[in-house]
Amino acid sequence: MWGIRKILAFLVLFMSIGSVSFGVAMAQDDSVFRVIEPVAYRAAAMLATPSERAGHVVDLLWLPLVGSDPDAQPVPTGLAESWEVAADNMSVVFTLRQDAKFSDGSPITAADAAWSINYQIMSGHPDIYGQHDFFPARREYATIVGAQEVFDGGIPADEFGAADVAGISVMDDYTLRIEFTQPTLFMLNNLQFARIAKAESVLASAGKTYAEDAYWTTEPGAVFSGPFMLESFTSGSGMTLVPNPNWFGGASSISRVESIFVQDLSSGIAAFENGEAEVVDFSMTPIDVANLASSEYLLSSLVSYPSLSVVQLFVTPFRPMDDVHVRRAISMAIDRQALTNVLGGGDGQTTYQVISGHFAPANVNCADPFASVVGMPYDPAAAQAELALSPYAADMATMPLNMQLGMFGMPLSQDLIIAQVAQAMLQQNLGITVNIQSSPIADFNAPPYATHLWPNEQGDHFIDQMAFMNNLASLNSADPLPDEAQMGMVTMPRVPELLDLMAQAAAATDITSRCEILAQAQQAWVDQVYTIDLFTFDSSMLVAPYVEGEVINNFGGSLSFRETLERLSYNR
């Protein structure tokens, strides 16, 4: 069970790059729902990765294989109307509803579901992974028979195609079987993120090259499976979604959803105050919230919710970070409590919470075993002694480290403070020079310079702590390390002990033993500095006070966006 019953937030989409200006406020039509969203990291390509965006505004476009209730428990509100899990947790058979149709009127069958999951598995191929987004396929589908071969690059990459893994089989038009390599205790929860796409709509783009944020989803006639479909998309400006006339759930009370893209949060807030939207769909940090104090309207619109995310410094194996002594020294040279005090505006703040490992306290799954994990201490003297053990010790003063900002649309206001504080601490405590980089990087698999650290927010939206940890553990670098010219930024240091413990946890057949092993893996994670985990914090969004009803961030597809909108009412 999550530890959070209902998360009060709005349904976010994703982020891309561009800008927008605002003029006259839009006409006020009570059947239109308007959302202000960040343009950074909002490529149309992301519309094609429904598994990453489950439960947000993009949930309008895609029918999930498995739905869930507000507590993230699997329920038959998606394509699957029932399922049978094998007694050994090694397979599951889905019986699919027969009244679901794509937006072009064609039926959605088990073959479409199988192709869609295979398409999402292909997104985890090393030649594709990270080109457009930080695809979650490796986290969600790693235990499906045959998926790991794709993630290891064992088959040719096909950006617009699908893998053909042995563990996914079509039994008839409305029956789908999925087999796993090991007992999979929470696969139904992970499959809540599987969205159904139509193969022909994707394959039609094979061989095409897309610039900027165009993609197959923005092609004329692109087909969708959800309660809404894309009517228009304007690069850097916004998009409009309208109801799918073939949606099995019936007509929506909302005639359209208009997404308005803005360059930054301040632009979004200004537009919101001008009455141009019902929601500002930014996940606001406490720093952002503090800047709202002068406006009664903004304060009355503020909706806060507990975060299940871990804010960290992502560590790559670019030299000298491939050496564990360097990583341990850097970790011990960063005063996490002082950092959170700076972010929170002084001593005694509680909005930011220091954590001891790669674990969000709000996720109660495995909480008791994880309570025994001992975090890396802040100890400059020990950090200096640790650095002296490294073969790079004599050269560290002349080996500047690069810290990249803005990866995957992270909040620059918060990340810049993190970077500047860490930069000062590493210079003072270890004599290490850190260059803060903020220019966008087009391809994370081919960075223009070595990036050693970058602020990252690891979203812990999963009941399955194994899946959460595996999202990064699966990024273990090869042994031996590849030539740095071929190394991508989404690569982690190699920690064999961690990999061994993760394999043991995966083989566990009950949740108690799995959690105990995962706690050991967490300790190895901390001790060998797989990531430098810093803190967690509460997030906030802006929802107009005239909107009545509960606005739910439905991470696992707990309520379809259509159902959520039907529960809302507003009178401008």
Side-chain angles (χ1 to χ4, degrees), residues 400-403 419 422-423 426-427 432-436 453:
L401 304 182
N402 290 308
M403 184 179 296
Q423 179 189 51
L426 293 179
Q427 175 62 48
I432 294 176
T433 298
V434 175
N435 295 323
I436 298 175
L453 296 164

Side-chain angles (χ1 to χ4, degrees), residues 113-396:
W115 190 91
S116 298
I117 299 173
N118 273 299
Y119 168 63
Q120 292 164 21
I121 287 174
M122 180 62 79
S123 74
H125 192 287
D127 293 343
I128 300 174
Y129 196 72
Q131 286 183 0
H132 299 299
D133 192 4
F134 191 50
F135 297 126
R138 300 181 182 190
R139 168 169 52 190
E140 296 165 3
Y141 308 132
T143 59
I144 295 178
V145 172
Q148 193 59 50
E149 181 185 1
V150 181
F151 302 155
D152 291 339
I155 67 171
D158 184 356
E159 180 182 350
F160 298 101
D164 185 17
V165 303
I168 302 174
S169 54
V170 176
M171 301 177 70
D172 60 44
D173 282 351
Y174 296 101
T175 311
L176 179 73
R177 177 182 174 87
I178 300 180
E179 299 175 83
F180 310 120
T181 59
Q182 59 206 31
T184 307
L185 305 180
F186 294 105
M187 178 51 74
L188 285 176
N189 296 80
N190 294 344
L191 286 172
Q192 294 166 15
F193 290 78
R195 293 326 201 226
I196 310 303
K198 185 168 184 176
E200 292 81 358
S201 192
V202 185
L203 294 169
S205 291
K208 295 183 179 181
T209 300
Y210 290 97
E212 299 300 329
D213 53 4
Y215 209 54
W216 69 261
T217 46
T218 59
E219 292 277 4
V223 177
F224 301 93
S225 62
F228 279 63
M229 58 188 184
L230 189 67
E231 180 184 59
S232 64
F233 183 95
T234 304
S235 176
S237 180
M239 64 181 178
T240 300
L241 281 64
V242 295
N244 171 5
N246 296 296
W247 177 247
F248 59 82
S252 171
S253 59
I254 299 296
S255 65
R256 65 181 56 233
V257 175
E258 296 178 348
S259 292
I260 307 163
F261 299 169
V262 298
Q263 181 66 41
D264 50 48
L265 177 59
S266 60
S267 298
I269 291 174
F272 181 77
E273 284 194 288
N274 195 36
E276 297 181 28
E278 280 62 66
V279 169
V280 175
D281 164 7
F282 282 69
S283 180
M284 297 166 57
T285 71
I287 294 173
D288 300 321
V289 171
N291 294 327
L292 306 181
S294 61
S295 169
E296 290 186 11
Y297 180 72
L298 295 178
L299 290 176
S300 68
S301 303
L302 194 64
V303 177
S304 297
Y305 54 98
S307 172
L308 295 180
S309 297
V310 170
V311 177
Q312 63 192 186
L313 291 176
F314 192 104
V315 178
T316 73
F318 285 105
R319 291 173 294 178
M321 306 302 288
D322 57 326
D323 179 55
V324 67
H325 298 296
V326 172
R327 301 197 303 269
R328 284 175 56 85
I330 289 175
S331 184
M332 287 188 286
I334 295 176
D335 187 341
R336 293 162 176 76
Q337 187 60 59
L339 171 61
T340 58
N341 289 344
V342 171
L343 289 165
D347 296 343
Q349 56 76 36
T350 58
T351 306
Y352 291 90
Q353 300 178 51
V354 175
I355 53 179
S356 61
H358 190 68
F359 178 73
N363 187 340
V364 298
N365 185 35
C366 296
D368 290 342
F370 277 42
S372 65
V373 175
V374 179
M376 188 71 70
Y378 171 60
D379 190 334
Q384 294 168 16
E386 189 75 39
L387 187 61
L389 299 175
S390 171
Y392 298 116
D395 302 317
M396 287 299 296

